[in-house]
Amino acid sequence: MNNPNIYRYGQELKKSVRGFRLRKRLLAEFQRSLTPLLEDVPDPSYEDLLDAFGPPEQLAKTLLHEIDVLPLSWKAKAGLAVGVIAVIFTVGFGISSFQNIPEEGELRPDTVPYTGNIDMHHCFAVDDPFTHGDSHWDQPRDMVAYQVELHNTNSVYTNIFVYYSDRQPPHTFQVPPGETQIFVVNDPRPGPHSIAFNSPDGTLSGTVRILLSDTPIP
């Protein structure tokens, strides 16, 4: 194989086990399992392989466990190895695909900042001034929406960047000077989020609040 990442993964997979025949079998099954991945990603990076199969030592342990505990023939064991790899590939590539799905958000100029009660259904994860350092929050799985409230008290517009994935571009928009804007995301990705600010002249003045909700924000 000409791809150095595939070669590297295969070599690390072989190093995880002992025995020439077992290493040969594992490498052969790994190479056969690459076919569906290469159809979607012709030249995968090492990170693509990790997303699809997991770490080499983890894949090797899974296969060895299944082979050791089941009294199967060599052909049955080989078939089992293919099945295990297929499951790992499906789960891993499914997670990778999920990570590639962008959040959908929209600016709502007619919406007003939240003034209701803070309870188990709504809570503020961020209530910060605009700064040159990012504001951060972790989006819980049970909170199915978030609302970004931005009040720009500066005399110039402020650029806003909401980051939610290292594989997708951030949400980006501008808040005019002296204005308040609301940005809403329903069905957000769980996990780390951050928001960054900049302006044409480098000055920042304003406040940001992140409201989390366990129901969609209409």
Side-chain angles (χ1 to χ4, degrees):
M1 296 182 182
N2 295 326
N3 185 305
N5 300 306
I6 294 176
Y7 177 80
R8 173 188 169 190
Y9 191 98
Q11 293 300 305
E12 293 179 1
L13 181 66
K14 290 197 300 182
K15 290 179 183 178
S16 301
V17 298
R18 294 182 179 181
F20 173 78
R21 291 183 179 179
L22 183 56
R23 288 177 175 175
K24 186 177 180 180
R25 270 170 57 191
L26 289 179
L27 187 58
E29 299 302 341
F30 166 64
Q31 291 172 342
R32 277 194 286 270
S33 70
L34 282 170
T35 301
L37 174 63
L38 295 177
E39 291 177 355
D40 293 320
V41 187
D43 190 25
S45 66
Y46 191 74
E47 292 300 321
D48 292 329
L49 296 172
L50 291 177
D51 286 341
F53 301 106
E57 61 273 15
Q58 176 182 317
L59 176 59
K61 287 180 181 179
T62 301
L63 294 175
L64 285 174
H65 175 73
E66 298 295 338
I67 291 173
D68 288 341
V69 299
L70 297 177
L72 302 176
S73 66
W74 184 90
K75 290 183 178 180
K77 290 178 181 178
L80 177 62
V82 174
V84 171
I85 291 176
V87 170
I88 293 174
F89 170 79
T90 301
V91 173
F93 204 68
I95 293 174
S96 176
S97 298
F98 171 74
Q99 292 175 339
N100 285 322
I101 299 175
E103 287 187 349
E104 298 294 334
E106 60 176 324
L107 279 172
R108 297 184 176 179
D110 297 329
T111 305
V112 298
Y114 182 78
T115 57
N117 295 326
I118 299 302
D119 52 29
M120 63 182 297
H121 303 289
H122 303 85
C123 65
F124 281 104
V126 169
D127 189 352
D128 293 339
F130 290 1
T131 67
H132 292 286
D134 297 355
S135 293
H136 304 271
W137 81 95
D138 193 72
Q139 185 70 29
R141 291 187 176 276
D142 58 349
M143 291 293 186
V144 300
Y146 68 83
Q147 176 170 298
V148 183
E149 302 176 1
L150 298 145
H151 180 47
N152 182 17
T153 57
N154 208 345
S155 59
V156 295
Y157 65 81
T158 301
N159 295 311
I160 306 297
F161 308 88
V162 181
Y163 296 92
Y164 61 92
S165 169
D166 58 2
R167 300 191 180 193
Q168 293 292 334
H171 305 297
T172 59
F173 48 94
Q174 291 182 351
V175 182
E179 292 192 12
T180 297
Q181 289 194 353
I182 307 294
F183 182 73
V184 173
V185 175
N186 286 306
D187 194 22
R189 175 174 300 164
H193 285 59
S194 63
I195 183 167
F197 319 88
N198 71 35
S199 69
D201 63 3
T203 63
L204 295 174
S205 178
T207 57
V208 56
R209 298 199 308 173
I210 309 295
L211 175 73
L212 306 182
S213 174
D214 66 358
T215 57
I217 298 174

